[in-house]
Amino acid sequence: MAPVLLPSAGPTALPLDLALAAVRGYQHGRRPLWFRPPGTRAGRWVDVPAFGWARSDDLAGGSDDADLLAAEGLHGRLDPAGWVRVSDALARLRPVVDAAVARAAGRPFEQLPDDELSVLGEPGTVGAALRTVQREPDFPHLTAALHHRHPDLVPHVDRVTRLQLLPHVEEGDSDLHAVVHRELRANATAFAELSAATGLTPLRLHDVLVWLSGSLRLTHAVALGRDLPHS
């Protein structure tokens, strides 16, 4: 089985079984939480999801509100003013994102030609559209919502993965999404196997592995994944 080598996640290749355990831990791992209902003295331990899978990926989409709820599951609740601001941004960006979806013509992100993520192919490329989204001040919630809507095409980038990806941007790249594109292409076989085993798109798998590494949660996720039945 081919290992997964992601420079944005670190210099060492991840054996496929370790990457699979990490993703399974992210999807299904749980942690104990002491829960005491308001107004009562007694409490008890409950098991809650350790990561954002159940609060985001597992939610149904289909509308701006539903996709924004999924984004909150990863990045925390928005106050009323923040909800309006991000909701307005989703509506404002809809023509840009719809044009990118039309240009992709059903191809997933990793199958796009290199020029789609290069300034040499602009204007009108998918990469140019993604850069427009990335420039928004609320980009973590926006990209989470848009990835939830287009899981094959729109990368999810938050402040952790952004810092992981930016140092690997090369001259001519339209933005950091070109780094994601290169790493997916270079590890196509491994991501295909992980996708078949987990049900996640290669794009989401890449995000999860880079985020777990950059947030120093990879070891914990692997341990949770290996403790799961049939892991």
Side-chain angles (χ1 to χ4, degrees):
M1 295 185 293
V4 187
L5 179 57
L6 306 176
S8 61
T12 305
L14 297 174
L16 198 62
D17 62 333
L18 187 147
L20 177 58
V23 174
R24 282 176 51 81
Y26 180 85
Q27 288 180 290
H28 307 297
R30 304 184 73 83
R31 66 180 180 89
L33 176 71
W34 181 254
F35 175 71
R36 186 173 65 188
T40 65
R41 294 184 178 182
R44 61 189 176 90
W45 287 105
V46 295
D47 283 335
V48 299
F51 299 105
W53 164 265
R55 300 187 301 271
S56 181
D57 301 72
D58 244 3
L59 298 182
S63 69
D64 284 358
D65 285 351
D67 294 326
L68 196 43
L69 278 173
E72 284 189 321
L74 292 179
H75 300 302
R77 294 291 300 273
L78 293 161
D79 61 20
W83 179 279
V84 171
R85 188 177 62 249
V86 179
S87 183
D88 286 349
L90 282 173
R92 175 166 40 82
L93 291 168
R94 184 172 293 113
V96 175
V97 176
D98 286 350
V101 172
R103 186 173 176 101
R107 293 169 295 183
F109 183 78
E110 65 274 12
Q111 292 182 16
L112 295 174
D114 292 345
D115 278 356
E116 287 295 322
L117 285 304
S118 169
V119 295
L120 300 177
E122 296 183 9
T125 61
V126 173
L130 295 174
R131 185 173 67 242
T132 299
V133 176
Q134 191 65 26
R135 286 174 172 168
E136 292 286 328
D138 297 297
F139 73 88
H141 280 85
L142 284 170
T143 62
L146 290 170
H147 174 79
H148 192 257
R149 184 176 304 169
H150 305 291
D152 285 321
L153 184 64
V154 179
H156 169 234
V157 181
D158 68 3
R159 290 183 171 84
V160 171
T161 54
R162 178 181 173 85
L163 291 176
Q164 295 288 108
L165 293 165
L166 277 175
H168 301 279
V169 172
E170 298 178 358
E171 184 177 359
D173 287 347
S174 58
D175 202 353
L176 49 78
H177 310 94
V179 180
V180 180
H181 188 253
R182 278 194 295 274
E183 293 187 349
L184 286 172
R185 297 281 287 269
N187 296 273
T189 299
F191 276 116
E193 293 186 44
L194 288 173
S195 184
T198 62
L200 295 182
T201 65
L203 199 53
R204 183 67 171 124
L205 287 164
H206 183 277
D207 170 54
V208 168
L209 291 173
V210 174
W211 181 80
L212 287 172
S213 175
S215 62
L216 305 182
R217 292 174 169 89
L218 182 65
T219 300
H220 181 53
V222 169
L224 290 176
R226 285 177 169 165
D227 284 342
L228 291 168
H230 309 299
S231 62

